[in-house]
Amino acid sequence: GAVVSQHPSRVICKSGTSVKIECRSLDFQATTMFWYRQFPKQSLMLMATSNEGSKATYEQGVEKDKFLINHASLTLSTLTVTSAHPEDSSFYICSAPSDRSQETQYFGPGTRLLVL
Amino acid sequence: GEDVEQSLFLSVREGDSSVINCTYTDSSSTYLYWYKQEPGAGLQLLTYIFSNMDMKQDQRLTVLLNKKDKHLSLRIADTQTGDSAIYFCAESSGYSSASKIIFGSGTRLSIRP
């Protein structure tokens, strides 16, 4: 079964509103989680590393004030897209390091965001 | 920075072998991965190889790693229609699962009858 969940799976919002996406590790703890963005027919771009109890680490070119990340507990990280615009429409995927294998991460099923 | 490159498309006949190639630039890569993504779905880890290995075989999948040339390939034997998907090559330079993973652009594999 799924070990990382995301909610919602799909969301449509109006331009200018904010949208929160949740990423949960199921039955295991994750002090670190990763957020990726995938444009249509393109690769996954790492946006940021979410760290439990401290600030997220953003990749170059990612606006931290635009994409707010909060890792408030050992099983939950949230990504908030603030003042969303149509160009923020994308597929957002989170991942969490495996608690059983040092080599792999578990990926969530993704959240498709459409900003009108 | 780190870069991972793949060809965008591959078309093979059902029953033939598929070979998807990937090159990467990070000489300190420790793990190299192959992920599969079906339409509208998340990522499925197919297999991975540690950088001190040359080859790994898992049922129909064979991974070859040429560390000197920074070249990774995935061979799918007896390709089936269910293998149609996008295949992502990825690398990590850390030694734990908490290290960030860098993805290639993905190769879209299509199967023709």
Side-chain angles (χ1 to χ4, degrees):
Chain A
V3 294
V4 173
S5 69
Q6 285 185 238
H7 177 79
S9 57
R10 291 173 178 266
V11 57
I12 301 173
C13 70
K14 292 182 179 179
S15 187
T17 60
S18 294
V19 174
K20 181 185 285 187
I21 303 170
E22 294 184 347
C23 177
R24 290 183 186 273
S25 57
L26 306 177
D27 299 325
F28 74 101
Q29 295 181 337
T31 56
T32 301
M33 291 184 178
F34 299 93
W35 285 97
Y36 293 85
R37 180 176 180 177
Q38 185 179 28
F39 294 95
K41 299 184 179 181
Q42 292 190 31
S43 183
L44 282 79
M45 180 192 78
L46 178 64
M47 298 174 67
T49 303
S50 174
N51 304 301
E52 188 269 334
S54 64
K55 291 182 180 179
T57 306
Y58 289 83
E59 295 298 304
Q60 193 173 5
V62 178
E63 298 176 63
K64 60 181 179 182
D65 295 329
K66 171 76 172 175
F67 299 99
L68 299 179
I69 291 172
N70 185 22
H71 197 145
S73 78
L74 289 171
T75 58
L76 173 65
S77 175
T78 60
L79 168 68
T80 301
V81 183
T82 62
S83 186
H85 291 283
E87 57 265 31
D88 299 325
S89 298
S90 198
F91 194 51
Y92 293 88
I93 301 176
C94 71
S95 71
S98 167
D99 60 333
R100 300 185 183 90
S101 163
Q102 69 176 29
E103 301 93 357
T104 61
Q105 296 178 8
Y106 298 122
F107 281 81
T111 296
R112 188 162 299 282
L113 170 63
L114 177 61
V115 184
L116 302 177
Chain B
E2 311 94 339
D3 193 24
V4 179
E5 295 193 355
Q6 314 173 228
S7 54
L8 293 179
F9 301 99
L10 177 66
S11 175
V12 299
R13 189 175 303 171
E14 187 176 2
D16 287 353
S17 292
S18 306
V19 179
I20 304 172
N21 294 301
C22 168
T23 57
Y24 59 97
T25 59
D26 189 354
S27 57
S28 61
S29 293
T30 49
Y31 293 103
L32 295 123
Y33 306 89
W34 285 103
Y35 285 87
K36 177 181 181 182
Q37 186 181 38
E38 297 185 65
L43 293 173
Q44 174 193 354
L45 176 65
L46 284 179
T47 186
Y48 65 92
I49 188 168
F50 190 51
S51 59
N52 68 352
M53 297 170 64
D54 298 324
M55 185 183 88
K56 181 177 181 180
Q57 188 155 2
D58 183 3
Q59 299 183 332
R60 292 192 297 126
L61 306 178
T62 303
V63 177
L64 294 178
L65 174 61
N66 182 327
K67 194 173 180 181
K68 174 176 169 289
D69 293 339
K70 300 189 185 68
H71 182 269
L72 183 75
S73 68
L74 172 70
R75 178 177 179 269
I76 305 172
D78 187 24
T79 309
Q80 303 298 309
T81 54
D83 296 324
S84 293
I86 300 175
Y87 291 80
F88 291 98
C89 171
E91 66 92 14
S92 170
S93 57
Y95 285 91
S96 80
S97 55
S99 302
K100 66 181 183 182
I101 296 176
I102 304 300
F103 285 82
S105 55
T107 298
R108 185 178 295 272
L109 175 64
S110 61
I111 317 300
R112 57 184 192 273

